[in-house]
Amino acid sequence: MRNKRFGGLLALVLLVLALLPTPKSVAAGDNNVHWDELYHAAPNANPRTELVPGESFSFQQGASNGMIVSTTNVQISILALAGDLTSAQIRYWNGSEQLVAMTKVKTLSASFRNTANTSYDLWRGTIPAQAAGTTVYYRVRVYDGSVLALLKAQNGSYVNPRGQHVRGTNYDPDDYSFTVQSGTNPTATPTIAPTATSTPTPIATATKTPTVVATPSRTPTATNTPIPTVSATPTGACSGAALGNNAIISSAVYHDSTNSVYRDPLGSLQAGQSASIRLRTCSNDVSAVSLSVWLTGAPYSQPSFNYPLSVVSNDGTYAIWQASVPAPSTSSDQWYQFKLNDGATLGYYVVANTSNTGPGVWSATALDRSWKLGTVPAPPQDYAVPTWLQDAVIYQIFPDRFRDGDSTNNFNNVRVYGPNTCNGYSGAGAPNCVASIHSNWNETPTTPGYGIDFYGGDLQGIVDKINAGYFNDLGVNVLYLNPIFDASSNHGYDTNDYYGINPRFGNLAKFDEMIAAADAKGLKVILDGVFNHAGMDSIYLQGYPGYKTDRWTGINGACESAASPYRSWFTQGSAGTSGAYPCAGSWGWKGWYGYETIPEFIENDPVKQFFYRDGSAQSPNGKSVTRFWLERGIAGWRFDVAQDITHAWWSDMRPYVKNGYGDSESLLLGEVTGGCDWGLYRAYLNQNELDSVMNYCFRDWAVSFANGNAPSSFDSSYNAFRAQMPTTPWFGMMNLVSSHDSTRALRLLNDDKARMKLMVLLQMTLPGAPSVYYGDEVGVTGGGDPDNRRTYPWADKGGSPDTAMYAHFKKLIGLRRTYAVLSSGDVATLLVNDASKLYGYRRWKGTQEAVVVLNNGTANQSATVNVSHLANGTVLTDRLNGGSYTVSNGQLTVPVSAQSGVVLVK
């Protein structure tokens, strides 16, 4: 629900997977993190170093005066309630993502930040010393049983200036950070900048080459690419190559960890998997090649493993050497480099940069500079989700801004909310909260809008476009409607009546007509459910009684009467306790994140009966909200602020929907926000809770890619995240690029329509359920809320829809719907070339095959892609641009235009 009310959300020190009820006890393993008692402060983010009274440690311990130099390990400390946590980790980024375990050091007693004297556990972990000039970003992950919480910086309280540093998608604006000053680089871990050392001594116990483990279907890191016969990389002259002549033609030696010719899979390994690591040399030039491998933290002089490589392909000019490296028995990452011998000559092939990825460079001496081969946990148990979801193309509609089909429901000058709610409002009726209608459909929303400026969009407008075939022509097959229930605002997240349609949008009869029209056109409809909070003006609360017309005569809301059956439903707070129109009995309510217009519910039995269990006296015929609308024909729900509702709620709710009044095809999709931490999403994607979530992480990665950033960044983020998700739900993730809560995609791309088209090409050819936010398909732009909620620019309303953009969306959606391999086929990376800005991947399903190659640069390129899984002579047709290409020597060579791509289908 990001920023959908009266401004941005408050910055949070802690983004928690589940906001649990106020704890009554502390116990490790009870799945309850007491997040409000976690403490950490970074001295460089604030001149003040916080110290616990009577203790000598600081929360970020570097050198004296807080200076951190390249010879200094950095100790990170946190405080947690004594006995509360089962484990903790530091997750940091220094060019690649790392995890460091924290250890509970001791228990101490302190009065911290003016709290009562309390017992705390001191947890501590160490970030290894880093190269001078490195900026390290970090956060702390804490666990209590299966519950994860994230401890991050709080903007405003711990100001963390970053200058002009360009941040990748793995960073978060609220991460802590420190920058390393000049000093000597350590040699303890092969992730640091190069340091000349003595020749490493191999460990004899790990010389047996392991066999490649077969990979299950749809495991994201497995491609099992056949051995290449021809190199797809820059060549080096091989004249004069000979075995035993004490000379190695170093210019021909090559390895690139982002190219599947040389590493398969490209991503991280899970337990039981192996990676094929390959090196090119001149044919008959090298007598032996070995691979030195270190576990994180192992000293450079003592590799953890040593694997001999053997020649697996030789075309007379070049030889391809290969070793198979299994995932370690621990969760540690691995780091590797090559050692080559010919007679008495010894040389090394190491990564060419300090980011531990990409091509390599020859060195006559040992260098502590290695490629990273990550290790990730196995994904959680797979489970079934609605079968239609992986083939869904979702179209999101903000009803007030899509289409006005009935002007008779355009009510004007309606007073809502409280006497001081809209202070600062500049619209009609200001400073009072008076809802009004714009006279011009195409004018921009009022800013700040307070959610009470309307345009007149309604259900009739949606029905008209369903019947006219708009959605069928575009190719979408699912309509997701932002809230349509009775509410005071234009966004509808302040529900007044969960069983009634907003009078501005229509009524129940019009809703039924919409469902019938959608069914006739093969469209599913999902509704937005706001079960964490209601509206201040709702039948359930009725705030500020006497200030405005009582719409619910004969029914006492929680504010109106202490005897109201609804009073026990709401979290008590200060809203409504004072002023000229106070609640009865000096009672008041708590608004979600302080917004008084949206009072929070308590998760008690009466509320659960009302929303999903059935049997509430406040429900028509005892039917719960969820059941009422499912029986009226919707295909499922998108749940607002799902992360602000407890896991216990979702676990209790799912059986009612899946095995009670609903069935396995009823969708449960949640809005989960708080950063791209896979643990956050995975906590909700399990067989006990949700089917899918809004994948804001995909949006972030896709925007970065379309803006021309390194393809390897997208590939590593996407595949690392994918590896942590259950397989079937991953194919049903709601892959959005715009929404009502975020800046529109086109604006994030600096209103560059070529880049927008590139991003849509990426979105429509990867797994997941792509989502189109109304108007994106015709070039609508816009900043943050409310500018992201501009009206659809219908030509008959005086607008100017971009028909070329529409044609692009239509073509790509059509390809996805025509070729099932693009929606439900497996995916594996084939090409990552940061220098040429090229990115390619394979989609396959049974005998169906597709290859997608994208160019996010500003220059046209020729891409050579390893497709040795296809027989020579196989012809693939570019279904986006036209033209056919034939596999030769296990490769495809295709031209790829700037900021565009090809979709090759067999």
Side-chain angles (χ1 to χ4, degrees), residues 457-734:
D458 49 33
L459 296 187
Q460 184 63 60
I462 298 172
V463 170
D464 290 344
K465 287 304 174 181
I466 292 174
N467 291 334
Y470 178 83
F471 304 110
N472 294 124
D473 183 70
L474 181 60
V476 300
N477 53 12
V478 178
L479 304 182
Y480 154 44
L481 275 57
N482 286 112
I484 60 172
F485 307 136
D486 191 316
S488 296
S489 69
N490 54 41
H491 54 68
Y493 288 93
D494 53 339
T495 312
N496 291 335
D497 181 0
Y498 287 94
Y499 293 94
I501 299 296
N502 192 324
R504 294 179 179 275
F505 298 161
N507 51 36
L508 282 175
K510 186 58 62 178
F511 173 83
D512 293 340
E513 180 184 344
M514 181 186 69
I515 293 295
D519 287 345
K521 293 291 188 179
L523 302 170
K524 297 183 182 297
V525 176
I526 60 177
L527 296 185
D528 211 326
V530 190
F531 295 175
N532 169 266
H533 49 263
M536 174 205 295
D537 295 341
S538 69
I539 187 175
Y540 320 107
L541 189 110
Q542 301 184 51
Y544 297 104
Y547 173 68
K548 50 193 177 294
T549 302
D550 187 352
R551 294 182 57 201
W552 322 106
T553 56
I555 300 176
N556 287 325
C559 180
E560 289 184 306
S561 171
S564 170
Y566 300 111
R567 182 162 284 194
S568 65
W569 290 21
F570 293 98
T571 304
Q572 191 167 350
S574 60
T577 57
S578 60
Y581 308 95
C583 295
S586 300
W587 184 84
W589 68 91
K590 177 183 179 292
W592 181 81
Y593 285 97
Y595 297 112
E596 67 167 1
T597 57
I598 42 178
E600 283 186 343
F601 286 117
I602 295 172
E603 292 184 21
N604 57 24
D605 287 339
V607 172
K608 292 176 181 178
Q609 286 179 322
F610 178 76
F611 279 115
Y612 63 84
R613 283 182 180 171
D614 288 345
S616 173
Q618 282 69 47
S619 299
N621 300 316
K623 288 186 179 181
S624 64
V625 173
T626 305
R627 177 177 184 175
F628 180 87
W629 294 103
L630 283 172
E631 291 184 350
R632 222 163 182 106
I634 68 170
W637 292 90
R638 177 268 191 190
F639 296 109
D640 188 55
V641 294
Q643 80 278 356
D644 289 344
I645 299 176
T646 65
H647 294 286
W649 171 288
W650 301 123
S651 296
D652 187 48
M653 181 183 188
R654 187 177 178 90
Y656 288 91
V657 175
K658 296 292 186 177
N659 306 315
Y661 42 76
D663 57 33
S664 61
E665 294 295 280
S666 301
L667 175 65
L668 300 175
L669 185 155
E671 177 199 31
V672 176
T673 61
C676 291
D677 188 296
W678 59 262
L680 180 66
Y681 280 47
R682 198 166 94 170
Y684 293 90
L685 288 175
N686 59 72
Q687 65 271 24
N688 297 319
E689 299 188 43
L690 301 177
D691 297 318
S692 178
V693 296
M694 297 179 74
N695 195 355
Y696 274 103
C697 296
F698 177 84
R699 188 277 309 269
D700 295 345
W701 305 326
V703 166
S704 177
F705 176 83
N707 268 324
N709 291 314
S712 61
S713 176
F714 176 88
D715 184 70
S716 60
S717 297
Y718 178 85
N719 283 309
F721 201 82
R722 181 191 175 203
Q724 304 308 313
M725 297 296 122
T727 303
T728 302
W730 177 257
F731 280 74
M733 294 276 273
M734 182 180 174

Side-chain angles (χ1 to χ4, degrees), residues 225 227-236 252 254-256 258-262 278-280 313 315 318-320 359 830-833 836 838 862-868 888-893:
T225 305
I227 304 303
T229 56
V230 178
S231 172
T233 57
T235 60
Y254 194 79
H255 172 80
D256 182 353
T258 66
N259 188 330
S260 59
V261 169
Y262 295 99
R278 305 183 185 109
L279 181 77
R280 187 195 69 181
S313 174
D315 65 1
Y318 297 105
I320 299 294
L830 294 178
L831 173 65
V832 181
N833 188 326
S836 298
L838 293 173
S862 177
T864 299
V865 187
N866 173 44
V867 290
S868 50
S888 176
N889 293 322
Q891 296 177 336
L892 276 172
T893 300

Side-chain angles (χ1 to χ4, degrees), residues 5 73 115 148 244 300 309 337 405 423 581 633 684 690 801-802 834 858 884 891:
R5 325 295 186 201
N73 294 331
T115 63
L148 164 69
Y300 182 65
L309 282 75
Q337 59 180 241
N423 289 343
Y581 308 95
Y684 293 90
L690 301 177
D802 185 332
D834 288 347
T858 56
S884 297
Q891 296 177 336

